[in-house]
Amino acid sequence: MIAVSEELEQSFLQLAEIEHKPVNKLVEMALTAFLEDYHDARIAEAAIERLERGESELISLEDAERMLNEMDG
């Protein structure tokens, strides 16, 4: 279903041999990690845009920890 260069295919074949896992599992893991990183980056970009527009503000780590501790009771 997914076509990759021969070089990339060889890299996955070598990794599969080293890790003792099927190539399709390694490809699935790589794609999953990529998509998670992609979504995390979009969330971060949206947060930065809200900060730049003044719709949100940064808080210190200490304040965040204090707020979390207050929520825990």
Side-chain angles (χ1 to χ4, degrees):
M1 179 173 121
I2 297 174
V4 298
S5 69
E6 189 171 320
E7 181 181 324
L8 187 57
E9 181 180 1
Q10 287 303 312
S11 293
F12 271 105
L13 288 170
Q14 290 173 355
L15 184 60
E17 193 172 311
I18 292 167
E19 294 294 321
H20 306 289
K21 292 183 180 178
V23 171
N24 63 330
K25 182 64 177 174
L26 294 172
V27 171
E28 179 183 346
M29 290 168 58
L31 289 172
T32 299
F34 171 82
L35 290 173
E36 288 172 354
D37 290 347
Y38 177 84
H39 291 296
D40 290 346
R42 298 295 84 73
I43 291 168
E45 288 172 356
I48 290 169
E49 289 175 6
R50 286 192 305 276
L51 284 168
E52 290 173 344
R53 290 192 305 262
E55 297 172 1
S56 189
E57 63 182 58
L58 291 177
I59 61 171
S60 69
L61 176 60
E62 292 81 17
D63 287 344
E65 289 173 341
R66 181 182 46 75
M67 292 168 63
L68 286 172
N69 287 334
E70 289 174 0
M71 291 172 55
D72 286 341

